[in-house]
Amino acid sequence: ALSCLLLPFLMVTGQSPADNRSLPDKALSSTPLWTMPDEFLDEFTAGHETAWPAIHAEARPGAYWWWPAGAVSEVGLTYNLETYRKAGWGNMGVVGIYGVKGEEEHFLDIFSPDWFEMFNHAVEEAGRLGMNIDLTPSSGWRLGGPHISRPYAEQSFSVSEGEILTVELDARVKRAGPGGKGLCLNPYSISAVKYHFDWLSDRFEEGEGQSPRAFYYDSFENQGNWCPEFLDSFRRLRAYNLEDHIRALGGKGDPHKARRVICDYRETLSDILLECVGEIVSWSEQRGSGLRMQAHGAPANILDMYAAASIPETEVFGANEFNIPGYRRDPDLSNPETPDILVNRFASSAAHVAGHKLIIAESFTWLRNHFHTNLSHIKAESDQLFLNGINGIYYHGLCYSPAEADWPGWLFYASTQANFRNSIFRDIPVLNTYITRCQSVLQQGLADHDVLLY
């Protein structure tokens, strides 16, 4: 199918392989040479009754866009955005991570005024190119940072000799960069959530930061199960004192009572987590942004968690098995885990019931080992997601890299490396055009429920 798409694509661009041989090696290695997908679609289908819907940024695929230690420049950001826009991407999600060795003098603390100067440039350039910029409201993943002190950090509890004992956890932000290292905030504590986002509001004000299309809440990987307000919240939500039933909470005494008390504890944990998510949604909307959120892994009603976000997001980790002639899963190069499509349907089902139009998937993570992923792998995985109700593919992903960096450029360890130095990049515009066509149609549809299953 891709070869059929490729022939008219090359005809429209008016270039042949012979044209490329006259270009300098630097241009061949770093400059895409093809027609933008929008121009191709317009020329190939304009005026025809089967013309595709008008293309907008959301219909194009997106990508995680890691900024290693904020060591970016205005020239480099423009080069990256123009390159990826030309290749068919329309959405970029900025994530600040650890830095590149040898670039320490260019590191910027995340959310500092200098960092926001670069971020604002990216937002403005994206607007010029008709693209969207999203932002993780922390460095790395699992929200937190150096400003999170123990009262706002993750907690768990234990029951010992009739008492509830609070345990302080040392969970820290993963893969954090400069200015972002520190403890994770407690996701169940409304005071911790408000504190973190008030802190972030101050950083936006100091740096005169522009708002992204959406803020991004990564998959729920928190370790705690308690917060300082838990007993008060339990009393408010369950209408009795948990302190009066500590033995039952610890699984002691009448087993029926213990199960009821433990169930109420879990219901409360779910309720207060949803309240905290609501606080993040409100904060994002006040800034004129939405909230992209991966709810899987949370000890809450998953459908309610997904529905609370303006843009529900699922993820795929590892490679699926497909009964396609000639298709190889390459077990020696693939992660042994096989994704569960039911996880993807959690996000799309919640979105359909709640009336959300856009459902994103963090896609293509560890399909194969580095530089072993083919376009045929990405194509099959994309179709699987479309069949499960996803209409917003987000590549995992692209790492910011300056044009002058030596091959293979700056990389992020967990990525598919769908960047302009990968050999598959020459033909990625064809695949991105296919993804854009599918998504432009899927995003206009309405869910048709034959069965509602709770």
Side-chain angles (χ1 to χ4, degrees):
L2 281 177
S3 62
C4 293
L5 281 172
L6 183 58
L7 180 59
F9 192 92
L10 291 177
M11 291 170 61
V12 170
T13 64
Q15 290 183 324
S16 68
D19 297 328
N20 296 339
R21 284 195 286 270
S22 63
L23 293 172
D25 291 343
K26 186 67 176 178
L28 285 174
S29 64
S30 63
T31 307
L33 303 173
W34 359 260
T35 302
M36 295 170 72
D38 291 7
E39 297 173 10
F40 166 63
L41 290 173
D42 288 345
E43 184 168 345
F44 198 59
T45 66
H48 195 272
E49 62 181 4
T50 59
W52 296 96
I55 302 301
H56 50 87
E58 281 76 14
R60 304 185 192 106
Y64 285 70
W65 191 24
W66 296 283
W67 286 14
V72 301
S73 68
E74 291 188 351
V75 171
L77 290 170
T78 296
Y79 177 81
N80 275 239
L81 287 169
E82 288 182 344
T83 299
Y84 294 125
R85 172 63 186 85
K86 192 175 182 182
W89 276 278
N91 308 276
M92 305 289 277
V94 174
V95 187
I97 57 168
Y98 53 81
V100 175
K101 288 184 178 180
E103 297 292 329
E104 288 80 5
E105 64 178 304
H106 301 120
F107 287 2
L108 299 176
D109 283 356
I110 193 168
F111 305 141
S112 66
D114 288 341
W115 188 93
F116 268 117
E117 184 177 350
M118 295 297 103
F119 181 75
N120 288 346
H121 178 77
V123 171
E124 290 165 3
E125 287 293 85
R128 176 178 67 85
L129 296 167
M131 304 174 76
N132 292 318
I133 295 290
D134 296 337
L135 175 63
T136 299
S138 180
S139 187
W141 61 92
R142 295 199 308 201
L143 300 179
H147 56 289
I148 299 298
S149 57
R150 284 293 174 188
Y152 299 129
E154 287 201 68
Q155 297 179 349
S156 64
F157 80 97
S158 63
V159 174
S160 177
E161 297 183 0
E163 293 186 10
I164 298 175
L165 304 179
T166 301
V167 180
E168 294 181 341
L169 301 179
D170 196 43
R172 295 181 177 270
V173 179
K174 293 183 177 182
R175 313 300 187 261
K181 299 177 181 179
L183 294 168
C184 297
L185 71 80
N186 192 327
Y188 309 105
S189 170
I190 196 72
S191 60
V193 169
K194 287 182 176 179
Y195 174 77
H196 173 75
F197 283 93
D198 285 346
W199 173 86
L200 189 55
S201 291
D202 291 341
R203 304 289 82 73
F204 266 91
E205 184 175 352
E206 290 173 7
E208 298 180 349
Q210 297 189 38
S211 293
R213 187 255 323 238
F215 290 94
Y216 171 56
Y217 193 153
D218 209 329
S219 55
F220 198 89
E221 300 176 18
N222 298 89
Q223 303 170 8
N225 57 12
W226 193 261
C227 66
E229 308 98 324
F230 192 89
L231 293 176
D232 290 339
S233 296
F234 188 95
R235 189 178 304 111
R236 169 173 59 87
L237 294 166
R238 305 277 88 84
Y240 69 93
N241 294 324
L242 184 59
E243 305 96 300
D244 297 338
H245 305 277
I246 294 176
R247 291 188 73 250
L249 178 64
K252 305 296 183 181
D254 178 23
H256 298 288
K257 178 181 178 181
R259 285 195 290 269
R260 291 197 300 271
V261 171
I262 292 171
C263 179
D264 282 348
Y265 156 77
R266 291 171 176 165
E267 292 265 5
T268 302
L269 199 67
S270 173
D271 290 344
I272 60 178
L273 179 56
L274 281 164
E275 289 177 354
C276 289
V277 168
E279 180 67 26
I280 300 173
V281 171
S282 297
W283 181 88
S284 301
E285 291 176 347
Q286 288 168 11
R287 300 204 63 86
S289 305
L291 179 66
R292 278 173 47 208
M293 184 173 68
Q294 296 184 355
H296 46 277
N301 186 315
I302 298 299
L303 294 180
D304 284 346
M305 283 279 288
Y306 276 121
S310 50
I311 308 176
E313 177 168 344
T314 185
E315 70 173 308
V316 178
F317 187 93
N320 281 288
E321 298 182 9
F322 297 104
N323 185 23
I324 300 174
Y327 183 94
R328 301 192 314 273
R329 191 169 182 272
D330 303 313
D332 293 338
L333 300 174
S334 305
N335 190 291
E337 295 184 42
T338 301
D340 187 344
I341 62 174
L342 182 60
V343 173
N344 305 138
R345 293 178 180 178
F346 289 160
S348 55
S349 293
H352 294 160
V353 173
H356 296 310
K357 292 287 188 179
L358 184 61
I359 310 106
I360 286 177
E362 175 186 335
S363 312
F364 322 136
T365 309
W366 286 118
L367 291 187
R368 305 294 187 276
N369 288 345
H370 293 327
F371 298 104
H372 287 279
T373 298
N374 298 324
L375 296 184
S376 58
H377 303 146
I378 297 174
K379 164 69 162 57
E381 298 286 347
S382 298
D383 289 342
Q384 177 86 298
L385 289 167
F386 293 150
L387 291 171
N388 286 291
I390 306 304
N391 60 16
I393 298 290
Y394 238 76
Y395 280 72
H396 189 283
L398 311 170
C399 189
Y400 170 90
S401 187
E404 63 273 13
D406 291 336
W407 189 91
W410 297 1
L411 306 175
F412 179 57
Y413 79 98
S415 169
T416 298
Q417 317 302 353
N419 60 63
F420 52 78
R421 288 182 172 84
N422 194 327
S423 60
I424 65 175
F425 197 76
R426 176 186 175 89
D427 298 319
I428 270 183
V430 182
L431 177 58
N432 281 348
T433 298
Y434 168 78
I435 292 173
T436 299
R437 287 173 165 182
C438 292
Q439 293 182 167
S440 67
V441 174
L442 291 171
Q443 290 175 13
Q444 294 194 29
L446 296 175
D448 185 15
H449 309 295
D450 292 321
V451 176
L452 178 64
L453 176 65
Y454 182 81

